[in-house]
Structure formats: structure tokens, C-alpha cells
Amino acid sequence: SWLALLLGLGVYVTATLVNTDRETLIERTETFIEAASPADEAALTALLADRVVLMGPGGDVWADLSGPIIAGRLDQYQVEVLDLRGVDATINRPGYGVSTMTVSHDVMGQRIPATQWEVEWQKDPQGRWRIIALKWLKYGLNEPSSNLYR
């Protein structure tokens, strides 16, 4: 009766206040895109690991980059995000997860085809999820080539 009602209310409140790792990765992915448009160096630095690998769609490494340098230089590309769709996330194993997203945006004032990305995350020793790799899956309807990155 009253006890069951109180227990049920307690379970409901706990469930609404506690984020799963999957929900956290979705929120962090959305925060990453917000921080890139316009570039917010402090917010980006908080999301990026010290080293971030940029990969092509097949998983081949295109660049091994410094997270702080990425955060400091992104503003030169004048990224303006117009739409973020299809954000989802999965946890691969404890402390590691992947999110996916499709982004429509302008770069340096030019509209480019929508891009699809896979973002690899790792939980750092302080318990914060940080980006360790970005895999570029699609450029419009096609797979991107490393020439588009350079």
C-alpha cells in the first residue's frame, strides 16, 4: 500500500536521475557538435583525449592528432552545424563506447554534403568520457577519401 507506493516512487525518481553510459555518450556527442559550432576551445579540450586518431571508413588511420591542437585550430574552419541527426551510442566494454551521428554543416561558408561519423570514446581515470578516435564514414552518399581530409 503506502510502502509499495513509496518504493515505486523511489525507483522512478532514481531511474530518472541516473544516466546510463549510453545516454551519457549521446549527450557528450551532442555537446561535442555544439562545441564545434562555433568552436569553443575549452569545451572541445574537455571532450577530446590527449591523442585523437582520425580514421577513414575502413578504419585506416589518416592522422594521429593532439586533442588540444584540434581544439585550438577548429575555429579556423568556421564550422556551422545546421542539423544533427541519428545520434546513437553503444558501450563496447566497460570504459569504451562508440557513438554515431550524421551532421549537415557549412565549412568556411560553403555548404558541404552531410557527413556521417563514428566517434570512439574512452572513460578516463576521473570517470569522464573522452573522444579517442573519429571515423569518417560517409561524405554525402559516398565514402570519403583521405584527400578530402587533407
Side-chain angles (χ1 to χ4, degrees):
S1 57
W2 284 106
L3 182 58
L5 178 63
L6 286 176
L7 286 174
L9 183 59
V11 168
Y12 172 77
V13 168
T14 301
T16 58
L17 294 178
V18 176
N19 271 4
T20 65
D21 282 342
R22 179 183 171 275
E23 291 167 328
T24 300
L25 287 188
I26 289 171
E27 289 172 6
R28 300 281 287 178
T29 301
E30 292 167 346
T31 300
F32 173 61
I33 295 303
E34 290 169 10
S37 174
D40 178 339
E41 186 173 350
L44 288 166
T45 299
L47 292 163
L48 297 167
D50 290 337
R51 303 298 307 170
V52 178
V53 176
L54 176 63
M55 296 183 286
D60 48 320
V61 175
W62 288 353
D64 183 352
L65 306 165
S66 161
I69 289 176
I70 294 169
R73 292 188 180 166
L74 192 60
D75 65 335
Q76 74 186 11
Y77 296 103
Q78 303 167 12
V79 176
E80 180 184 352
V81 173
L82 305 173
D83 188 32
L84 175 63
R85 299 181 308 278
V87 179
D88 200 4
T90 57
I91 302 302
N92 297 343
R93 62 186 191 275
Y96 290 89
V98 174
S99 61
T100 54
M101 63 182 164
T102 300
V103 184
S104 296
H105 49 293
D106 292 347
V107 176
M108 298 191 320
Q110 299 293 317
R111 174 72 45 93
I112 64 170
T115 56
Q116 186 178 30
W117 296 86
E118 183 177 278
V119 182
E120 293 184 20
W121 299 85
Q122 180 179 12
K123 196 179 273 190
D124 70 15
Q126 292 76 35
R128 296 174 304 204
W129 287 98
R130 309 280 296 254
I131 296 170
I132 58 171
L134 297 164
K135 185 187 289 186
W136 193 0
L137 302 174
K138 292 282 185 184
Y139 179 74
L141 299 175
N142 303 307
E143 288 189 353
S145 71
S146 60
N147 294 336
L148 284 171
Y149 161 67
R150 294 185 174 91

